Amino acid sequence: MFRNTYDSDNTVFSPQGRLHQVEYALEAVKQGSAAVGLRSKTHSVLLALKRSSGELASYQQKMFRIDDHVGIAIAGLTSDARVLSNFMRQQAMSSKMVFNRPAPVNRLVSAIADKAQVNTQEYGRRPYGVGFLVIGLDQSGPHLYEFSPSGNSYEYYAMSIGARSQSAKTYLEKHYESFVDCSLEELIKHGLHALRETLQQDKELNVNNTSIGILGSGSVHETGVPPSGPFRILEGDPIKPFLDSMVPKDAPPAAPAATTDEDVQMQD
Amino acid sequence: MFRNTYDSDNTVFSPQGRLHQVEYALEAVKQGSAAVGLRSKTHSVLLALKRSSGELASYQQKMFRIDDHVGIAIAGLTSDARVLSNFMRQQAMSSKMVFNRPAPVNRLVSAIADKAQVNTQEYGRRPYGVGFLVIGLDQSGPHLYEFSPSGNSYEYYAMSIGARSQSAKTYLEKHYESFVDCSLEELIKHGLHALRETLQQDKELNVNNTSIGILGSGSVHETGVPPSGPFRILEGDPIKPFLDSMVPKDAPPAAPAATTDEDVQMQD
Amino acid sequence: MFRNTYDSDNTVFSPQGRLHQVEYALEAVKQGSAAVGLRSKTHSVLLALKRSSGELASYQQKMFRIDDHVGIAIAGLTSDARVLSNFMRQQAMSSKMVFNRPAPVNRLVSAIADKAQVNTQEYGRRPYGVGFLVIGLDQSGPHLYEFSPSGNSYEYYAMSIGARSQSAKTYLEKHYESFVDCSLEELIKHGLHALRETLQQDKELNVNNTSIGILGSGSVHETGVPPSGPFRILEGDPIKPFLDSMVPKDAPPAAPAATTDEDVQMQD
Amino acid sequence: MFRNTYDSDNTVFSPQGRLHQVEYALEAVKQGSAAVGLRSKTHSVLLALKRSSGELASYQQKMFRIDDHVGIAIAGLTSDARVLSNFMRQQAMSSKMVFNRPAPVNRLVSAIADKAQVNTQEYGRRPYGVGFLVIGLDQSGPHLYEFSPSGNSYEYYAMSIGARSQSAKTYLEKHYESFVDCSLEELIKHGLHALRETLQQDKELNVNNTSIGILGSGSVHETGVPPSGPFRILEGDPIKPFLDSMVPKDAPPAAPAATTDEDVQMQD
Amino acid sequence: MFRNTYDSDNTVFSPQGRLHQVEYALEAVKQGSAAVGLRSKTHSVLLALKRSSGELASYQQKMFRIDDHVGIAIAGLTSDARVLSNFMRQQAMSSKMVFNRPAPVNRLVSAIADKAQVNTQEYGRRPYGVGFLVIGLDQSGPHLYEFSPSGNSYEYYAMSIGARSQSAKTYLEKHYESFVDCSLEELIKHGLHALRETLQQDKELNVNNTSIGILGSGSVHETGVPPSGPFRILEGDPIKPFLDSMVPKDAPPAAPAATTDEDVQMQD
Amino acid sequence: MFRNTYDSDNTVFSPQGRLHQVEYALEAVKQGSAAVGLRSKTHSVLLALKRSSGELASYQQKMFRIDDHVGIAIAGLTSDARVLSNFMRQQAMSSKMVFNRPAPVNRLVSAIADKAQVNTQEYGRRPYGVGFLVIGLDQSGPHLYEFSPSGNSYEYYAMSIGARSQSAKTYLEKHYESFVDCSLEELIKHGLHALRETLQQDKELNVNNTSIGILGSGSVHETGVPPSGPFRILEGDPIKPFLDSMVPKDAPPAAPAATTDEDVQMQD
Amino acid sequence: MFRNTYDSDNTVFSPQGRLHQVEYALEAVKQGSAAVGLRSKTHSVLLALKRSSGELASYQQKMFRIDDHVGIAIAGLTSDARVLSNFMRQQAMSSKMVFNRPAPVNRLVSAIADKAQVNTQEYGRRPYGVGFLVIGLDQSGPHLYEFSPSGNSYEYYAMSIGARSQSAKTYLEKHYESFVDCSLEELIKHGLHALRETLQQDKELNVNNTSIGILGSGSVHETGVPPSGPFRILEGDPIKPFLDSMVPKDAPPAAPAATTDEDVQMQD
């Protein structure tokens, strides 16, 4: 395939009005392991597939706390993710100190989007090579955003990024209309089913390779997950009940029964 | 196709005196979904086709409030639009604080045009990849401007930018002479008919994919749209009456009757 | 056609001692619609052909006021023109504030020429892509200058820039010796005849596509144009009498009779 | 082999979303002599193969003390290692002076990872060409991190970097589950066996080409290595007992007996 | 013709130790219309051929006053000339203000030569594309210097630059030994004869295309040129007597009779 | 031979993880005339082959004093050596002034190594093209370091750099085990024999082309070289006794008898 | 001839460890007219061949005074020479003002060598294209240095630079051993004979094309040259006696008789 200089400099347009370097950065995101996010009226959850660089390492962290009311899951270059998430944390802290209240979630997402836009326009730096799913909880309720290296950020009902995320999206598109009224437990289960779609044929979700991030408030009867509180990440054994309750791969997932007893309470 | 270095560096002229990078940036605008703007003696309106990045997201925002008396519709790179619209907002706020009155609309448009011109002349940054339709209301009445990445901005009676905007322009050119005396309702209807022209064969305008931005003052009898007030965006159900009243695609649109009872009042 | 790097970097000479980028910038000027300037003992006038970007826009402004005693007509990139004319205005204002008198016209022209020269010599910026005809009135009488992207500026008896300006120049060269003693009316008529030469076969000058800029003092009997005062632009109906009095295209223009009753008075 | 510009500029992505310069920097790490790190509940140890630039030099130093509670082994460009390890030392010192306590190990590792990330994104500097194994001891116990030029840093149970490190990793993967309960002596022996795997056919570990770095506290009966204290490097004769106790290359290494009498005590 | 990168970057030497960009800048000088300079014991004179950009413009200025005691004639890029001559004027003014006396001529010439040298050595700017003949009068008498874009400046008895200047030089070399004792009138006549040599076959010197610059003191009987005073430029009718007294092109110029009655007086 | 861009920019890695520019800089070192360094328990000595740029110049200086306790011999670009040795001198002086004691030798060597590393990583400067042998004497005894343009510096028992230094190294490797107990005289003799190996077939060491640098303390019976004191360079006649005592080229050098009467005394 | 990028950027090494740009700069020196320098126990002299850019100019200055005790002769780019010699003068003046004594000659030479080295290593500037012969007189007696664009400077007994300087060097090498005891007159004669060797077949040294620079003290009987004093340049008639006393080109130069009556007195 013949290439030209349009695609090696992020500061130029191709004749078709495209920015090749930005598109290549999106490829870097697609090579990260998948993450899934979804939200109900009361909760936002993240689910991510952890990769291990071999048996000798613990699985690599895919989720990060930004503030009590904001968490992220990443896909792409981990070192870029660290830089951007540190920046988000500083923005969050600074907001707390200056305004004495948590930063609005969309404000935090815009901050990294603006930072990323600069790298798509000015000479001397490549675009970031990482995408985020951001969940947050503020006065306007639970949120789910996707941040992309292009400098864009959109709000979603449910979303997936990373390798084979298209399969997860297909699952989510089939069920997303029911998410709004789901209990936290049901939301997590839907997320796990979506995440499972991103696995290669011979792989399975297990307590080691799966992370669950939760924001929102509500009671969770069966699994004992604390229904409300700051952003929390479930890993290891606490995940087991959820995995056990999953519909086997071949069977169609039964629509989870609606929960009715949630007491929605907004974090400040 | 053979290319050369003229088209990958925005700071050089081609032998024909052209700036290829600027022309390629205009291509980026053409790839955004369409927006239409038109104005009467009393009102300026924007109509835009929202795209969705799939069922999982709400439709992407195409219109933004800059100030009470200024609103924009965008086509092209969303992240560039965010940067430029933030800049406009700052200019508007700064004008209010310094001069204690709203910034003249043409001043705000010139500010982003100057900012964009720099990126067409100096080394190290690509041109912006987004176009705006700007409506505003000031002491000289309602306005409609187009801002383009070339650093140009022109005032129009009616205009369309984005994908297939040529079809909308054809509609507008056929009817623009009647716009000046239109009621707000008629103006919106003309705009919707023009916007519909930009749709692909099998698409339809609906309450989800259509945004209407309004500035000006006047009574709107049938639809109950508040006749005057700050820049407001209609989305969802309030749009339905307008869509319902549209002439079917095949039928020629009847010229809306002239309204006579508008009480034009300039916002300060 | 084979090209090399001499023509893509304005900071290098070709082996023939030429600056290709500057020459290409001159091409950008040649693609703008034409403007004509001429002067008598008492007046300087500008005449320009306005282009419209379609029926939906008013014709694009081709003339700009810099100060009461200076006006310009442009050909080429409009956004570059805006930047340079703003700079001229600032120079003019600054001169008034510092020296308490209008800036000498040649000083203002030199200021933009110096600014343009830098862009022909230093790395990192392209030359400006716009040319100006500048008319001014100061203690040494009426003036007409051409400013070009090369950083040059010359004084002329009469001049034309932009598309097909060569045809206008041919007209002007035939008649320029008579301009010095022309009345304002005659001067304008000569200018219109020259401007008409730049039209394509099937186009005509009309009240919409023609602008007339005037500086100087004198009585104008027939058309009622105010004989003296600050730089003023005639557009629309006031132009009609001038257009009506034009010699039809095929007929040779009769030499306008000399006016004798002008009271020349210099603006301060 | 055909190459393109993607791989000579660290600030651009390839169409596959890869940063070739970062990958080439990893090659520089692979050309350094091997280092092995592993940890138990009570100790972290480093083992490294020293190269000599000939008989005339002493073997080149492969391990460096960063602080009493942190030490590193390097593989790759020595001069880059010196720059980065000096930076780590400054961070450690600064932490002590500002907070009056040793810097947390992960903080020190993040500091160089952030520094390295910049060189993978901004124009004007190549990525660092060196990898580190970092052992540390803080309130959360003994640690082992790998730092890589990509700006990543991961925690490991056991790890190897440098030339033929894959062979060492294979050994470590086979035995790592037993490391957690190993005595310091056993840990060192496992490390030596792993390190031996990286040797070329005809080479042997000896007191000249082997370095052992130790952190943690515990009693070592047979060899007299001081069981606890600041980061210490064993070289020369003190290594001999360990080498002598190694299982011959052909024989399978006997699982070292578990030690029971360690008194684990955390350094402050 | 094959080219390479030596000739497009002024900061590199060719293998032959040449700076191609400087040589190409000298080509730009050769494309300017010719100028001639010569000096006697008492006077320095400049003679230059003015070009017109057509009938519509007055002839372009080729001579500029720097100070009462210094004047220049230029050949090459006019906009570069303006920049450099402005710089000379500032140097001259600054010298007057600081030292309360006119700047020594060679000091002024060195100032622009140093400025020009920088552009032949440092990256980011092309060499200047203009040459000067500088005449000056100071305590050491009348002077004539050539300034060239290479950053060199030499003193001459007589010199010519610009298009076809070689022909003028041939004339000057034939007669320069007699210049030292010439009267101002004779000096001017010699200059005109030399300048005429640079004309194309069918062109003639006339009062419109010829400029004469004079410095020095002495009586001029026949033509009434003021014998002494600050740098003055003769143009138009005052030149006529000199042109009328010229030997016809075919006839050999008679050696002008020596003048004896000059009262040489140095300007301060 | 085919080349690519990896080898012309010091800030990029080749796909093999190599920095070609650094390797080419090492070639520049190999083209310098040879230098030899060796050390005993009490002394460090440098021996260098001086080149002459012809009979008209004295031989070029190959050794430089940095401080009383540090001296260097260079191979490669002399102008780079001057810059780096001046930098070392400043570091040494600054250390004395700030800490009131001589700078530790390894500190001085690290200082230039750090300086050199920057030029292997950052854009805009080539690596240094010179290597040093550094001898020094501090509280830890006599030292010998090699500094290389790669930013590395290693301590050696004995070392040679420059043209044909491999031959000298072969000699040194054969004898270096005996150096530790050599007297100063024996050490110098070994050095001369090693240096002689770097000569072309028809060249000989003589009092003009040989320099000897000495640091350390000890009695020298036969030759009268002052046994202790600051860094001193022997050139010319004082070298003769050493040259005379050399084993003829063909004969095997007899092992010098061990000296026993040295009184080792450390310089402060 | 095939070229590559090694030779167009002074900041990169070729694979052979060479800096092509520096070598090309040396070519620029070789294209300058020749200069010769030599010294005795009491004097240093410079002799240079002046070129004329034609009959119309006086011969170009080849020698420059730096201070009373330092003078230079140049070969290469004159404008570079002016920049560097001005820099030397400033260094000399600054030394006088700060230390109240003349700057040591080698200090002045090192200053320009350091300045030149930077241009061989850092990006953005070409090496200087000029070489100097520097003579000086200080407490250590008369000196002769060569400065070259490579940033090197060496002391010589006698030296020649510029076009055909090899022929002069051949003469100097044959006779340099006698220079040390020469009288000033004899030294000058030797220099003239050496300089004559650089002439083309049909050229002769004459009073117009020859410059002689003198430093030192001593009586000169025959020619009346002032035996001591500050740096002085002989040009024109005073040179005649020396030229007249030269041995005809074909005859072998007789060894000048030794002078005995010099009173050597060092300038302060």
Side-chain angles (χ1 to χ4, degrees), chain F residues 1 3-4 7-10 21 23-25 27-28 31 53-58 60-61 77-80 82-83 86 119 123-130, chain G residues 2 4-6 10-19 110 113-115 117 120-123 150-160 169 172-173 176:
Chain F
M1 180 182 171
R3 303 202 187 293
N4 54 44
D7 59 357
S8 65
D9 189 345
N10 57 307
Q21 270 296 301
E23 297 178 6
Y24 299 168
E27 285 300 315
Q31 284 167 23
S53 54
E55 294 172 78
L56 300 172
S58 35
Q60 294 170 17
Q61 205 182 348
L77 299 186
T78 314
S79 54
D80 284 15
R82 197 183 55 241
V83 168
N86 283 343
N119 284 26
Y123 180 79
R125 278 176 291 186
R126 61 165 171 81
Y128 287 95
V130 72
Chain G
F2 176 72
N4 54 45
T5 67
Y6 302 124
N10 57 307
T11 65
V12 300
F13 281 103
S14 80
Q16 290 76 37
R18 291 166 62 190
L19 297 168
S110 289
D114 283 354
K115 194 175 170 68
Q117 192 271 348
T120 72
Q121 186 168 30
E122 298 189 356
Y123 180 77
S150 63
N152 286 329
S153 62
Y154 297 119
E155 185 150 18
Y156 284 92
Y157 306 124
M159 189 58 189
S160 177
K169 276 190 240 175
L172 295 170
E173 282 163 2
Y176 79 99

Side-chain angles (χ1 to χ4, degrees), chain F residues 126-193:
Chain F
R126 61 165 171 81
Y128 287 95
V130 72
F132 286 2
L133 289 181
V134 182
I135 60 173
L137 189 63
D138 57 20
Q139 291 182 323
S140 56
H143 296 285
L144 169 67
Y145 292 92
E146 181 204 9
F147 155 80
S148 116
S150 64
N152 287 329
S153 63
Y154 296 119
E155 185 149 20
Y156 284 92
Y157 306 123
M159 189 59 190
S160 177
I161 59 173
R164 301 164 190 268
S165 56
Q166 192 49 55
S167 306
K169 275 190 243 176
T170 305
Y171 176 92
L172 295 171
E173 282 163 3
K174 239 188 279 175
H175 299 87
Y176 80 95
E177 287 173 341
S178 66
F179 295 167
V180 65
D181 293 317
C182 278
S183 71
L184 174 56
E185 271 203 312
E186 291 162 352
L187 210 55
I188 289 173
K189 272 190 214 164
H190 273 304
L192 287 172
H193 283 105

Side-chain angles (χ1 to χ4, degrees), chain A residues 173-188:
Chain A
E173 283 163 2
K174 238 186 278 174
H175 299 86
Y176 79 100
E177 287 173 340
S178 65
F179 295 168
V180 65
D181 293 316
C182 277
S183 70
L184 173 56
E185 271 204 313
E186 291 161 350
L187 210 56
I188 289 174

Side-chain angles (χ1 to χ4, degrees), chain E residues 145-159:
Chain E
Y145 291 93
E146 183 204 9
F147 156 79
S148 116
S150 63
N152 286 329
S153 62
Y154 297 118
E155 185 151 19
Y156 284 92
Y157 306 124
M159 189 58 189

Side-chain angles (χ1 to χ4, degrees), chain B residues 196-218:
Chain B
R196 186 171 60 183
E197 298 294 319
T198 72
L199 289 171
Q200 284 174 295
Q201 196 62 29
D202 55 338
K203 296 281 172 60
E204 280 295 339
L205 294 183
N206 59 48
V207 297
N208 290 324
N209 68 7
T210 310
S211 284
I212 302 177
I214 300 171
L215 254 177
S217 56

Side-chain angles (χ1 to χ4, degrees), chain B residues 64-76:
Chain B
F64 300 89
R65 174 191 172 277
I66 299 303
D67 200 345
D68 279 356
H69 69 306
V70 183
I72 63 172
I74 68 167

